[in-house]
Amino acid sequence: MSGPELGRLIDEVDRTVDVQFAAVGDVDELNRLYASLLGRRGSLNALMKQLPGAAPAERKLLGQRLNAVKGRVERAREEATARIKRTARERELSAPPLDITLPGRWRAPGRPHPIMRTLDEIVDIFVGLGFDVAEGPQIELARYNFDLLGFPADHPAMDMHDTFYIAGDPGQNVLLRTHTSPVQVREMLSHPPPVMIVAPGVVYRRDDDASHSPMFVQIEGLVVDRDVSLADLKGLLEVYSRRMFGEDTKTRFRPSYFPFTEPSAELDVSCLVCYGENRACPQCKGTGWLEVLGCGMVHPTVLRNVGIDPEVYTGLAFGIGVDRTANMKFAVDDIRSFYENDVRFLGSL
Ligand code: PHE
């Protein structure tokens, strides 16, 4: 390459150095530009290699000019580095400041469902009286849910209208339990007396109105021992009612019928909402009484069905409607609102 030609190329680089460095926006761009000029394959290095081709008289001057351009590149790089740092710092300083005095964001903590709170309270009362807690499956055998409990084969509770059977079981041997009473059977089959348990759990029936939900919660109670009497049943449930609903709660046993107890009764407690003083009370419908549970003495046939001698042992049993109890404690009109999962409603209880 001739001297003048080389000189022209050097000038061209020289003229563009400042503009090019002024245009880079960040460190990466800057490094790339620098390497394109002074890197191993940089354009200035390439020109350097052309020097020997120039006439000896021109060589010295061309070398000096090349060095001057190199110096200019180094300076431009330093300036660009400083500029990039400065801009970054300015951007940091002009960002909106972190306000540590802003109040935190409120996140409502969850808490147990009112029915579960009610259930816990009931369990606590019975555990305090010496009961153990037992559990059984929600998908149950018809044998435990009905047969061994002495339901006659044509009992209306077994009707399709009341019971959810498990699909694909034409014999209808497997179902969603309709009450917690099958846990009585399981307990007596697996433990010799004395037995003293409560069994909380979810049960299912094909019912759906203001006082019936197709899924609800019960807690079963069972005591089997020598000399368990109706007096024990009444005393126990009176103690329970007073602890659950308050010391001045009155109780009333009404004769009733269950296939697995004899005699059978239903227990009413005095209305917590109106104390019998409001003829139009939405809770007790003006009767002054609220039905809270079914109970009775374990039927001798049931004891025999599970291999316990009814001449030696007797038992008492009860089944508390937990939803109803919660209904009453929280004075809720429609039992189904417990299951609608509206946190405005649930949070208000
Ligand atoms: N299982 C009965 C029901 O669901 C309640 C009950 C339990 C009655 C135990 C007597 C004894 O209606």
Side-chain angles (χ1 to χ4, degrees), residues 179 181 184 205 218 220 258 260-261 294-295 317-319:
H179 52 176
S181 301
Q184 288 189 36
R205 282 180 210 175
Q218 287 191 332
E220 191 81 9
F258 300 101
F260 41 93
T261 47
C295 60
F318 55 90

Side-chain angles (χ1 to χ4, degrees), residues 276-327:
E277 275 157 25
N278 177 6
R279 296 242 148 255
C281 174
Q283 278 295 306
C284 67
K285 313 266 184 298
T287 63
W289 296 99
L290 292 160
E291 183 194 319
V292 289
L293 59 86
C295 60
M297 301 305 293
V298 179
H299 199 291
T301 306
V302 175
L303 293 175
R304 239 178 266 115
N305 285 347
V306 295
I308 294 175
D309 183 352
E311 298 299 326
V312 180
Y313 292 102
T314 48
L316 64 84
F318 55 90
I320 302 174
V322 178
D323 307 63
R324 283 185 177 194
T325 307
N327 220 27

